[in-house]
Amino acid sequence: MKIKFAELETVCGVTSKLPEHEGVEIAFAGKSNVGKSTLINGLMQRKNLARTSSQPGKTQTINFYKINDEFYFVDLPGYGYAKVSKEEKAKWGKMIERYLRNSSNLKIIFLLIDIRHEPSANDKMMYDWIISTGFQPVIIATKLDKIKRSQKDKCLKIIREALGCGKDTKIIPYSGLTKDGRDDILNVISSVVESEAPEV
């Protein structure tokens, strides 16, 4: 798959109505500072369409990026950032839940986990939450370039065991620096988009 066109089409806040459009939605979830914006920019081959920040918790909206005039990347607010108030966290949680439960176009969810660390309680909660909504998330183990190559398999095993993933759960290591894993992620996206395409 080649991404030839990408634009930020819709930004939804806490009280916003979810957009009504045609096209498969592919959502990205992960804790603050896990590299979500970096991944989305890397997939789109755009430097800063998805806003990156040195301040975790910056993304407080659900952002819909239209890709190739065909489908959407959906960037969900990062979770688990300590400096955000409980009230804000509750609002974000309700916003994410409303989207996961009500979007008829959502077909797959990528859950990003930092490969360097055992998944946190928030990561586990999000994984279980996604499962409860009927989706089987694809795990993206970010920041691959931050570990030695010899550590990769051990780190992936820790992620799988901590989340309680079954053997069928796909885990894709990804590096925002080298773009290792990009093609694997795009192949998953391509298969989802093609499977949802109307028959001619």
Side-chain angles (χ1 to χ4, degrees):
M1 166 179 282
K2 286 188 177 180
I3 293 181
K4 300 173 182 176
F5 170 85
E7 69 172 358
L8 177 59
E9 183 175 278
T10 308
V11 176
C12 285
V14 175
T15 59
S16 301
K17 184 181 178 183
L18 292 173
E20 296 179 6
H21 54 226
E22 298 296 324
V24 168
E25 292 174 2
I26 294 150
F28 297 83
K31 68 182 179 184
S32 299
N33 218 21
V34 74
K36 192 152 47 64
S37 296
T38 299
L39 168 67
I40 293 172
N41 283 327
L43 294 175
M44 297 188 296
Q45 292 187 305
R46 299 283 288 273
K47 281 191 175 179
N48 54 9
L49 187 57
R51 288 171 294 178
T52 58
S53 174
S54 58
Q55 288 180 291
K58 183 94 172 180
T59 304
Q60 302 178 18
T61 53
I62 300 177
N63 299 330
F64 292 79
Y65 297 91
K66 192 168 189 179
I67 310 295
N68 291 352
D69 284 323
E70 185 181 6
F71 60 95
Y72 292 86
F73 285 169
V74 183
D75 184 7
L76 300 175
Y79 55 82
Y81 185 51
K83 289 187 179 179
V84 176
S85 70
K86 287 184 178 179
E87 287 183 3
E88 283 296 313
K89 287 178 184 176
K91 286 180 183 177
W92 295 0
K94 287 179 182 177
M95 182 166 59
I96 294 171
E97 182 176 25
R98 179 167 61 100
Y99 170 71
L100 293 183
R101 294 197 184 281
N102 296 325
S103 175
S104 59
N105 293 326
L106 176 61
K107 301 303 177 185
I108 189 168
I109 303 169
F110 289 103
L111 176 60
L112 280 63
I113 305 289
D114 189 329
I115 198 168
R116 300 172 297 177
H117 308 298
E118 182 175 336
S120 66
N122 283 319
D123 290 326
K124 174 65 173 163
M125 197 184 328
M126 178 56 82
Y127 175 80
D128 291 342
W129 195 9
I130 292 169
I131 294 289
S132 75
T133 59
F135 289 94
Q136 179 64 57
V138 173
I139 309 301
I140 299 180
T142 62
K143 310 200 178 188
L144 177 62
D145 49 278
K146 304 288 187 184
I147 63 169
K148 295 177 182 176
R149 186 166 297 200
S150 60
Q151 296 176 298
K152 184 178 79 168
D153 289 346
K154 179 183 176 183
C155 291
L156 295 178
K157 183 180 179 184
I158 288 170
I159 290 173
R160 187 178 293 278
E161 290 178 350
L163 292 178
C165 299
K167 290 182 179 179
D168 293 338
T169 300
K170 187 182 287 289
I171 301 181
I172 303 174
Y174 177 77
S175 165
L177 184 66
T178 66
K179 303 298 185 290
D180 277 7
R182 181 178 185 272
D183 288 347
D184 293 331
I185 297 166
L186 287 176
N187 285 341
V188 172
I189 292 169
S190 180
S191 65
V192 171
V193 172
E194 288 173 8
S195 69
E196 294 296 328
E199 293 185 10
V200 179

